[in-house]
Amino acid sequence: MNQNWILVIIAGFIEIVWAIGLKHASSWLSWVGIAVLIYVSFVLLIKAQRSLPVATVYATFTGIGTAGTVVVEMVAFGVAFSWTKVFFILLLLIGVIGLKLVTTEPDMKEGAA
C-alpha cells in the first residue's frame, strides 16, 4: 500500500476521535486536545493529497470518519443500532471504493516523494 494512503487512513482514524470529542468535550483542555487532533488530521491529509487525487483522498477521509464515528457511537456509547444506519454506511463505503476504482489518475505524481 502506498505510504500516502496510510496517511489518509491515519487521518481518518484521528477524525473519528476528534469528531466524537466535539460531542463530549467539557473543559478548555479537552477543546485544546480536539484542536490539536483536527490540526494533525488535516496536516496528514494535506501531505497525502500532494501525491494522490484530492477528490478520492477527501472522500476516503470523510468516509472513514463518518463510518467510524457511527460505529464507535454504537459500540462504545450505546447509541441504538439501526439497520438504516448500517445500510447508509455500506452505501458510503461502496461509493468510496467505487470512486477509488474509477479514478484513472496515477497514485504518484512525478517528482513527488
Side-chain angles (χ1 to χ4, degrees):
M1 177 180 282
N2 185 327
Q3 177 183 359
N4 291 310
W5 282 113
I6 293 171
L7 293 177
V8 174
I9 292 169
I10 292 170
F13 280 106
I14 293 173
E15 183 191 20
I16 295 168
V17 175
W18 67 252
I20 292 171
L22 289 175
K23 181 176 180 178
H24 299 284
S26 59
S27 68
W28 68 270
L29 187 59
S30 58
W31 285 109
V32 169
I34 290 168
V36 170
L37 289 173
I38 291 171
Y39 175 78
V40 170
S41 69
F42 278 93
V43 165
L44 293 175
L45 192 65
I46 290 168
K47 185 173 180 170
Q49 65 84 35
R50 288 183 182 150
S51 303
L52 299 171
V54 68
T56 307
V57 166
Y58 188 70
T60 304
F61 170 74
T62 57
I64 292 170
T66 303
T69 302
V70 171
V71 169
V72 169
E73 278 201 336
M74 282 194 266
V75 172
F77 296 106
V79 173
F81 177 84
S82 165
W83 282 108
T84 307
K85 287 182 181 179
V86 172
F87 170 76
F88 285 112
I89 289 171
L90 291 175
L91 191 62
L92 177 68
L93 293 177
I94 290 169
V96 169
I97 291 168
L99 186 59
K100 173 67 178 139
L101 292 175
V102 299
T103 301
T104 57
E105 297 178 49
D107 282 347
M108 295 292 292
K109 294 178 182 173
E110 289 184 29

